[in-house]
Structure formats: structure tokens, C-alpha cells
């Protein structure tokens, strides 16, 4: 038995499940046709997953996940919701209501439409994407990318402006510091010069001695 988990009623595969697919020799899904619109394609069922184990065949009435050799359904990724549609073959019709990708394996999740239908590994299928639904979703997804780009550009502009303002404030503060330092040095120099001038033009030691001698004579 392979361990698995579910969310919102949707079958999901964990690392053990994808490892089992590798051991079974199932190649990862070829999904290059997902960019081709309004065309139906043929493929082969490579694995059937019930949520707990891989089956050789499955009957109607139960939700299951189908792994195909190739596909054109868009799996949910990159911010865009999954495609829906159907797989058709000798078993009848398999309604695809969700598409997820796990480790390169695309899982088409849904159930058989007929009450007595049964599909098996190796069955040939024709997969039909609901392109009308996709045509309504894709423009919204594209617009979302455009909006995100515009928001990022706006944020980058704001960040650049904020950086420039911060740099301007830093330069102004540094200039103010330099001016203050220059003023302090200028004031200190003027004080030193005044002291020196007083030493040369004020009473000197010689003047004091002459004054004392004149006093003694008198």
C-alpha cells in the first residue's frame, strides 16, 4: 500500500507514491501539448491511483487519479487554476474535475460517467480539454502577471526614491558635520592667535624688571 493524503476531497500523491511510479517504470508525463489549444489528442493510461494504492483497473462510482503517457491538460501551477474536461475511450467517459502535478507526474482526478464503466492501465484514450473554460481563465491569469509586474515596478521605483532620499539626508548630515568641525577649528585658531598677540604686545618680563629698577633708584 502506498501512503497518501487528500485535501478538499481531492486525491493527492506524496513522495512515496511518485517513488512507486518510478519503480513501476512509469515515465513522467509528457505535457508539451498543454500549450496547443482547440485540439484533441490520443494517449495511453499508464497508472490509476485511488488515493492509497495503484490499481490495474477501476470501476465507476469512485474518485480516482489517472496518469497518462502524454496530455494537454494544464495542471494547477504558476498561479493558474487547472483545466477540466474528459478522457474518452472504450470504457466510456472519464470526467476530469481537477489536474495536479507531483514530481513530474500529472494526475487527472475525476470519475467515470457510466454506472458500469471500467477503465484499465493500457487503455487508449482521447483527451478533451474544456477550452472554453480555459479561454475565460487564461486572460485573467495574464492580467494578474501584468498587475504583479506593474506593482513590482512601482515598488522598485519607491525603493529607489527612498534610497536616494536616504542618501541625500546622509550627505547633508555629513556636510553639516564638516561645516561644524571647520567652524570649531576656525574659532580655536582665532583664540590661539589672540593669545599669541597678547604675549607680544602686553606687559613683558623686561618691562617689569625696568619698572622695578626705576622704583629702587627713586
Amino acid at each position: 500500500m502506498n501512503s497518501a493524503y487528500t485535501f478538499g476531497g481531492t486525491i493527492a500523491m506524496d513522495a512515496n507514491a511518485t517513488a512507486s511510479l518510478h519503480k513501476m517504470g512509469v515515465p513522467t508525463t509528457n505535457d508539451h501539448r498543454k500549450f496547443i489549444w482547440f485540439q484533441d489528442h490520443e494517449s495511453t493510461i499508464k497508472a490509476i491511483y485511488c488515493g492509497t494504492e495503484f490499481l490495474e483497473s477501476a470501476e465507476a462510482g469512485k474518485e480516482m487519479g489517472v496518469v497518462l503517457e502524454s496530455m494537454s491538460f494544464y495542471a494547477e501551477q504558476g498561479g493558474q487554476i487547472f483545466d477540466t474536461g474528459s478522457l474518452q475511450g472504450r470504457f466510456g467517459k472519464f470526467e476530469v474535475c481537477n489536474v495536479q502535478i507531483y514530481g513530474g507526474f500529472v494526475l487527472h482526478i475525476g470519475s467515470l460517467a457510466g454506472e458500469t464503466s471500467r477503465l484499465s492501465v493500457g487503455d487508449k484514450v482521447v483527451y478533451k480539454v474544456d477550452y472554453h473554460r480555459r479561454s475565460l481563465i487564461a486572460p485573467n491569469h495574464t492580467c494578474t502577471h501584468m498587475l504583479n509586474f506593474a506593482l513590482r515596478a512601482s515598488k522598485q521605483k519607491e525603493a529607489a526614491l527612498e534610497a536616494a532620499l536616504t542618501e541625500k539626508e546622509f550627505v547633508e548630515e555629513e556636510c553639516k558635520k564638516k561645516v561644524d568641525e571647520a567652524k570649531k577649528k576656525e574659532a580655536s585658531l582665532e583664540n590661539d592667535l589672540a593669545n599669541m598677540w597678547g604675549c607680544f604686545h602686553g606687559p613683558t618680563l623686561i618691562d617689569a624688571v625696568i619698572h622695578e629698577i626705576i622704583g629702587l633708584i627713586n
Side-chain angles (χ1 to χ4, degrees):
M1 300 289 284
N2 298 306
S3 61
Y5 56 90
T6 60
F7 56 92
T10 299
I11 293 175
M13 295 196 298
D14 61 8
N16 291 331
T18 55
S20 294
L21 285 173
H22 285 294
K23 290 179 181 178
M24 293 160 56
V26 177
T28 53
T29 309
N30 181 347
D31 66 349
H32 72 278
R33 289 177 176 170
K34 66 184 180 184
F35 300 112
I36 302 175
W37 287 52
F38 305 112
Q39 289 186 23
D40 299 333
H41 300 280
E42 294 184 353
S43 189
T44 304
I45 296 176
K46 304 299 292 184
I48 301 170
Y49 191 60
C50 70
T52 56
E53 62 181 342
F54 290 98
L55 308 172
E56 284 299 316
S57 62
E59 58 187 16
K62 295 181 179 179
E63 186 181 59
M64 66 192 79
V66 175
V67 178
L68 300 175
E69 183 177 29
S70 61
M71 46 71 73
S72 58
F73 284 82
Y74 195 94
E76 185 173 19
Q77 58 184 331
Q80 182 167 326
I81 195 170
F82 50 80
D83 280 331
T84 60
S86 65
L87 308 178
Q88 299 180 19
R90 64 178 182 81
F91 50 81
K93 187 176 183 181
F94 180 85
E95 298 285 356
V96 178
C97 63
N98 196 340
V99 184
Q100 300 290 324
I101 185 167
Y102 303 99
F105 296 101
V106 177
L107 193 67
H108 303 77
I109 303 160
S111 58
L112 286 165
E115 295 181 359
T116 59
S117 300
R118 187 178 191 88
L119 56 78
S120 303
V121 173
D123 281 351
K124 299 293 183 180
V125 302
V126 175
Y127 46 87
K128 297 177 176 290
V129 176
D130 184 348
Y131 289 110
H132 174 69
R133 176 178 177 273
R134 183 193 281 187
S135 67
L136 298 176
I137 294 171
N140 293 333
H141 177 67
T142 301
C143 288
T144 301
H145 278 298
M146 293 171 64
L147 179 59
N148 286 337
F149 177 80
L151 289 173
R152 284 198 301 270
S154 176
K155 289 294 183 182
Q156 289 173 353
K157 184 177 180 181
E158 289 178 5
L161 179 59
E162 184 178 352
L165 290 174
T166 301
E167 183 177 0
K168 178 176 178 291
E169 292 174 358
F170 174 77
V171 171
E172 289 178 347
E173 185 65 25
E174 287 298 306
C175 288
K176 185 176 180 298
K177 289 180 180 179
K178 296 294 184 182
V179 170
D180 290 342
E181 289 176 2
K183 286 182 177 179
K184 289 179 181 179
K185 289 181 179 179
E186 183 180 0
S188 177
L189 180 59
E190 289 178 352
N191 186 56
D192 291 342
L193 289 173
N195 291 335
M196 290 175 63
W197 185 261
C199 288
F200 285 112
H201 291 83
T204 64
L205 179 59
I206 296 174
D207 292 332
V209 172
I210 293 173
H211 180 72
E212 288 294 330
I213 294 173
I214 293 174
L216 291 172
I217 295 174
N218 293 333

